Each structure stands twice: as C-alpha cells, then as structure tokens.
Amino acid sequence: SEGPEERARLQGVGGAMVRDGLLYSSPLECSDDAMRIVAARHVFEVFQTESGVPTDVKQIKSIYRKLALRVHPDKLPEGADPSIYKMAFARLDSAKDALEAMITEDAALCKELSRVLNSEVRTRAGAIGLLGTEDADDAEKVSKGLRKKLEKMRHVAPDFDRAEAVCCEAVATLRRAFASESLPRHEALLKEGLSTSRAMGARDSRFPYPLVQMKPDSASVHLPNGRCRVALLCGATAAFSDDILVSSTARLARQPKASALRWCMDADQQAACASALCISADCTVEGPATKRQRTSAAGPEGSVRVRHILFAHLQLRQPDPMARRPGTARTVQEAEVAALAVLEKLVLADKDPNVFLRACRELSDCQSGSQPGALSGDLGWLSRGQQETVFEDAAFSIGLKSFSDLVTSSRGVHIIQRLA
C-alpha cells in the first residue's frame, strides 16, 4: 500500500522484506537471490553463503561470478520483475568493491565488522552474544571499545554507521527492563510483520535499521454534502466491510462513540486486537440563519431542558451525592456496554416515550430516575455552568427530542435526551 517513494526508501535502507503485504525487519528465508540481495541489511549479507562470509579477495570473486550469473538482468527468469534484477546486480557490484577494499584494509577488522552487523541485538541473547556481558554498564564500556576498534574501517566500510548503531542498540536492549515471563512474548513480536512503514512506536523496526519511520503523513478527502462518518479501524474490526459497518450502526449516525463501541463488540472476541474510532462530520451547506421562535414552553434564554439515564460504575473516584444506588458495572467499559444496549433500544423506538421512562426507572442510577411519571430522569432547565463541561457540551449540541452519544462524566455514563 506504500507509494513508490516509500518503497524506494525501504530498498535503500536494506533489511526490508515485504511478503504477503507485510513488512518484516527480521531476515526471512528467500530462495530468490535477486530479492535476497536487494533486501540484504549490509554488504556482508549480500555475499552471505552457507559457509559464512568470504574472508579473502579470491573467495569474493568466486562468489561474485556465481551470483552475477543468477541476477544479471540479461538472465531474467520468466515473470520476474526487471527492476529488482537491475537493483540486485548493481548492489552486488558495489558490495564486491566494498568487501575487497575492506579486506585489503584489514582482514581481521573486516571479520569483526561482519560479526557486529550480523548480530541480532534486538534480543537479549543477541546483545549479550555481541558484547559478552549482561551487565548494562559493562556493556556500555565494551560497546565504546568496539566502536573505537572499528574506527579504522570508517572510510572503507559503507555500513560503518550502521555497525555503530548496532553496538549502541545492544546496550539499549540490555538496559531495557523486562520480566522473565514477558521477554519471550516481546521477542516473538520481532518476527511479526507490520502492515505499514510508518507508525508510532514499533521501536524494534526503527533501530538499528530504520525501516519504520515516526514521520506523519497526511491525505485529504472531499466529504459529500450532508452527514457522514469516518471509521478508523485496527485489528479485527478492520475486517468489516463498509456494508457491515453501516448496517450495524444505521440508527447511530449521530453517535460516533456508540458506533465505534458497537463495531468493537461485533468483532471477533478471540482476536488479539479490536479497536475502532468513529468521527462524525456534518457537511450540510445551510442557508442564511433564521431567528428561532420561542415557544410558550421555552425556558430561560440560553438554556435547554434535558432528561438522562445514568449508568454508574465501581471505578468512580468520589461518591456521587445525586446517586440513588451504587452502580452494578465494575468498570467504565462495562457501564458503556450497558448504556449502548439501552441507547440502541431508544433510537429504535424513538417515537415511543414510554421506552425511555421504563428504562430510566429500571436502570438509571441517578436520583432523578425515581421521579414520578413522565418526570423520570428529568433534570429540568439547564444553563451553562450548572453541569460538567462534557455533559453540557452534549446537552447543548443535540437536537430537540434527539438522544446524545454515550457521555462519560465523573458520575458515570449518561444517555441524554433533549426535551426543549
């Protein structure tokens, strides 16, 4: 899904392997020599063989001739990508020249540089293997000594800066605190592929090889005239089609938080992750504003009359003096789930006021739920400054007789209906 510029960047970084639409930062087995060479993390990996890295110029030339026959653009297999073979052959050429120069400079240091670059320092075992100690302070000293030792190769080794980054990352790995039971799970994630090359976090794919960037990108979309919703989905919710997203929340077009919660609840509950964010936008082009006539039932200027159903929970930070009973929900999440079920019933029967009254008398944890008859849940006329900001913003933004989205305040989770 990445554009040509981003694909070119990944090819220049090295160490990137894309398979089945996922980006891998760990070396994968690849039977295609051209793909392997293009994805190689450094010049030593270009010439990597079953017997290891070549140690003399004669061996380099021998391996070069064999590989050149396999990746030469003139020997292109049927159905192969010509650009991959051109890049592979060009990289093979440059890697040959670099290896010959390094071995001529200092064969022993060339071998040591290869050891550093081939170390998997993102794992604790790999970091210890490179630096020979698990003590982070001792590792810092060994890392500095190793970098100083390799300094002689700076002018001939194209991957010298990366070798320095590997030494530093080994120390960072040993300083990172992990419980013994969580370390295997964390290191197992190193083998997982990513669906993007831009992400917040994903540190293991940013160091020592900068495959993933924490660089923001932007795009613009022209929204249609009228009300619409934008869904940002991750994990199991991303599997939903547009039809399913729309049909499951058709009556929640003005309640984006409730829509997102419904999608998460409908997702595969066995999945490792299921998250959703819904953004509601009203792009209606309106004519000149007209003065609203005040009715005889209108309250004070700048006020609204509302009623609500409150779902309290056991995670409230302070006692609610207006509560008629403790909430049955253990967490705010449980309260939101209970509120969503009621909201869906209310919007389905929005013409029947008795549905709200029955639900309020039975379920609301606010003292207002005990008020008689049609006053159940009624909070009367509200002006700005009488309630929490989040409650007021919802109350003043909804239309007449409409229901709010799920509103979470210090009292719990509310469903608000504007009466006047």
Side-chain angles (χ1 to χ4, degrees), residues 2-12 197-198 213 215:
E2 304 293 352
E5 291 184 3
E6 185 63 7
R7 287 196 294 269
R9 183 191 71 81
L10 288 171
Q11 289 163 354
S197 60
R198 297 193 185 195
Q213 291 184 316
K215 181 179 178 182

Side-chain angles (χ1 to χ4, degrees), residues 39-62:
R41 296 174 295 175
H42 44 77
V43 295
F44 296 101
E45 210 164 69
V46 172
F47 276 78
Q48 192 86 42
T49 63
E50 292 183 2
S51 58
V53 177
T55 55
D56 58 60
V57 173
K58 183 178 178 181
Q59 194 177 6
I60 290 172
K61 290 182 177 179
S62 174

Side-chain angles (χ1 to χ4, degrees), residues 321-397:
M322 295 299 293
R324 66 168 170 166
R325 61 193 178 199
T328 57
R330 292 172 298 174
T331 64
V332 62
Q333 290 81 12
E334 285 188 7
E336 288 177 343
V337 170
L340 173 63
V342 174
L343 177 59
E344 289 176 326
K345 291 179 181 178
L346 293 175
V347 295
L348 188 62
D350 61 345
K351 303 298 183 183
D352 184 356
N354 292 322
V355 175
F356 181 95
L357 296 173
R358 284 195 298 269
C360 187
R361 281 193 289 268
E362 179 183 349
L363 302 172
S364 182
D365 296 317
C366 179
Q367 290 179 9
S368 62
S370 300
Q371 294 173 170
L375 293 177
S376 182
D378 197 330
L379 296 178
W381 291 97
L382 297 180
S383 300
R384 289 284 187 180
Q386 291 183 267
Q387 295 282 341
E388 292 182 43
T389 302
V390 65
F391 189 97
E392 288 182 358
D393 288 345
F396 280 84
S397 65

